[in-house]
């Protein structure tokens, strides 16, 4: 497969997944505003911190109000990680490989972008929940259309790797922000406010219902274990990394358990680490420190994939 084609399929899926994740945690924050006391309801700055682009936001908008943060994360054409910008780049990637992907995939990406573009002209905070619900549905539909209409060859596996690495990245960011920033004081730990925020975190990862099927109580350690180490939940970090590793080995045809390229080695090390971890080790070493180390590992994997298969210098996005 041409490196240009592999690169486009990989980033097409990453940007679709990015739009989905942004819609998810902004939507959950909107819902959280309805449950929190009025003096705590405007917790919008943590969402900007989650993106890692606080300085860019501050220079363009200043105060982190609901309107400013929603505009920044949803419609800002100059912010490369807004929903609109992500879908614009996804559509350009899809356009460049129309002969490779199915016509249904192209139509879905094109309609997805146009739907958000049209919403920009009539945006209002009361309309945002409906828009974010549509973004999530379009993202899920695209993944389903890709699985159902595209041959599961190298290109399909590159797309799957892009989607899963992006998903793991956002799960880590959301978990880290809640642990250190959203709770206004240590005195709130264990209170109804604390529980509301942990529930919001689970919902932002579409994990609330699956978590409650395993656990009867909202427990921060159990939630961290579920989102980091669960082997079967499709948005846990462990699941995303293990499935990414399987797709990588399908592409390289290297026997599992061995490695011949740097991405295989980097993914194998991270997958093995997650496979043998217990949550007590994570808490003992510090959740924030663990997530920072995971973030560095995923960035390394992304860079190695770019250098090995796309023949380009990686762009940190």
């Amino acid at each position: 497969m041409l490196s240009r084609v592999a690169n486009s399929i990989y980033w097409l899926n990453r940007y679709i997944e990015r739009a989905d994740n942004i819609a998810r945690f902004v939507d959950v924050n909107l819902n959280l505003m309805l449950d929190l006391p009025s003096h705590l309801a405007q917790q919008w700055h943590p969402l900007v911190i989650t993106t890692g682009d606080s300085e860019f936001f501050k220079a363009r908008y200043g105060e982190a109000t609901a309107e400013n943060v929603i505009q920044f994360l949803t419609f800002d054409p100059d912010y490369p990680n807004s929903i609109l910008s992500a879908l614009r780049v996804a559509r350009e990637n899809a356009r460049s490989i129309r002969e490779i992907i199915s016509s249904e995939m192209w139509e879905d990406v094109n309609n997805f972008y146009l739907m958000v573009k049209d919403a920009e002209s009539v945006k209002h905070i009361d309309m945002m929940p409906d828009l974010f619900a549509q973004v999530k549905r379009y993202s899920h539909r695209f993944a389903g259309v890709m699985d159902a209409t595209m041959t599961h060859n190298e290109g399909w596996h590159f797309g799957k790797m892009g989607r899963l690495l992006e998903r793991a990245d956002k799960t880590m960011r959301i978990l880290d922000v809640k642990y250190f920033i959203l709770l206004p004081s240590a005195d709130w730990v264990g209170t109804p406010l604390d529980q509301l925020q942990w529930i919001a975190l689970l919902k932002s990862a579409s994990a609330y219902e699956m978590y409650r099927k395993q656990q009867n109580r909202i427990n921060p350690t159990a939630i961290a274990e579920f989102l980091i180490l669960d082997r079967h939940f499709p948005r846990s970090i462990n699941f995303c990394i293990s499935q990414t590793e399987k797709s990588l080995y399908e592409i390289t045809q290297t026997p599992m358990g061995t490695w011949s390229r740097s991405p295989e080695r980097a993914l194998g090390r991270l997958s093995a680490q997650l496979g043998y971890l217990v949550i007590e080790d994570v808490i003992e070493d510090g959740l924030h420190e663990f997530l920072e180390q995971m973030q560095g590992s995923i960035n390394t994997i992304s860079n190695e994939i770019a250098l090995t298969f796309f023949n380009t210098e990686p762009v940190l996005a």
Side-chain angles (χ1 to χ4, degrees), residues 6-21:
N7 182 63
S8 293
I9 296 176
Y10 175 86
W11 282 105
L12 163 60
N13 279 268
R14 282 203 75 150
Y15 278 114
I16 293 287
E17 183 68 26
R18 187 167 300 178
D20 173 84
N21 282 306

Side-chain angles (χ1 to χ4, degrees), residues 175 179 189-190 194 198 211 218-225 279 283 287:
L175 186 57
Y179 195 79
V189 172
D194 188 26
W198 282 109
Y211 170 81
I218 298 299
N219 178 280
T221 299
I223 292 171
E225 181 178 25
I279 195 62
I283 300 302
L287 180 60

Side-chain angles (χ1 to χ4, degrees), residues 52-232:
D53 296 311
S54 296
E55 293 302 318
F56 185 85
F57 173 85
K58 186 177 180 180
R60 288 180 59 80
Y61 294 92
E63 186 181 0
T65 63
E67 291 76 10
N68 286 344
V69 173
I70 289 173
Q71 170 65 24
F72 178 65
L73 293 176
T74 308
F75 298 115
D76 193 329
D78 298 319
Y79 175 49
N81 293 319
S82 70
I83 293 175
L84 185 63
S85 295
L87 293 176
R88 183 180 64 245
V89 178
R91 187 173 72 155
E92 290 307 311
N93 276 292
R95 188 195 305 276
S96 71
I97 52 172
R98 287 189 64 177
E99 75 281 4
I100 303 297
I101 63 176
S102 67
S103 59
E104 290 91 346
M105 289 171 65
W106 161 249
E107 290 169 5
D108 257 27
V109 174
N110 192 48
N111 291 335
F112 194 176
Y113 169 76
L114 293 175
M115 182 273 292
V116 175
K117 182 68 174 174
D118 290 344
E120 182 183 17
S121 61
V122 291
K123 61 190 174 189
H124 188 277
I125 192 167
D126 292 337
M127 300 174 61
M128 290 300 103
D130 287 340
L131 173 63
F132 295 140
Q134 288 190 69
V135 169
K136 288 182 281 186
R137 282 196 296 268
Y138 264 100
S139 174
H140 295 163
R141 189 168 71 185
F142 175 79
V145 167
M146 178 175 156
D147 285 353
T149 66
M150 185 177 180
T151 301
H152 289 203
N153 55 12
E154 288 181 358
W156 183 85
H157 283 291
F158 274 113
K160 185 179 177 184
M161 286 199 301
R163 184 190 311 139
L164 291 169
L165 287 175
E166 184 69 27
R167 187 176 294 174
D169 175 87
K170 288 299 183 290
T171 298
M172 281 185 288
R173 290 179 185 272
I174 292 170
L175 186 57
D176 199 24
V177 166
K178 168 62 184 81
Y179 195 79
F180 277 90
I181 298 171
L182 287 182
L183 200 63
S185 166
D187 295 336
W188 290 100
V189 172
T191 65
L193 171 61
D194 188 26
Q195 291 213 349
L196 281 174
Q197 291 180 332
W198 282 109
I199 290 171
L201 182 149
L202 284 167
K203 289 182 177 178
S204 70
S206 293
Y208 179 69
E209 291 176 344
M210 294 302 105
Y211 170 81
R212 291 305 296 264
K213 290 180 187 299
Q214 293 189 16
Q215 300 286 339
N216 294 324
R217 299 175 61 250
I218 298 299
N219 178 280
T221 299
I223 292 171
E225 181 178 25
F226 185 71
L227 291 177
I228 295 170
L229 299 177
D230 193 270
R231 297 175 184 271
H232 307 292

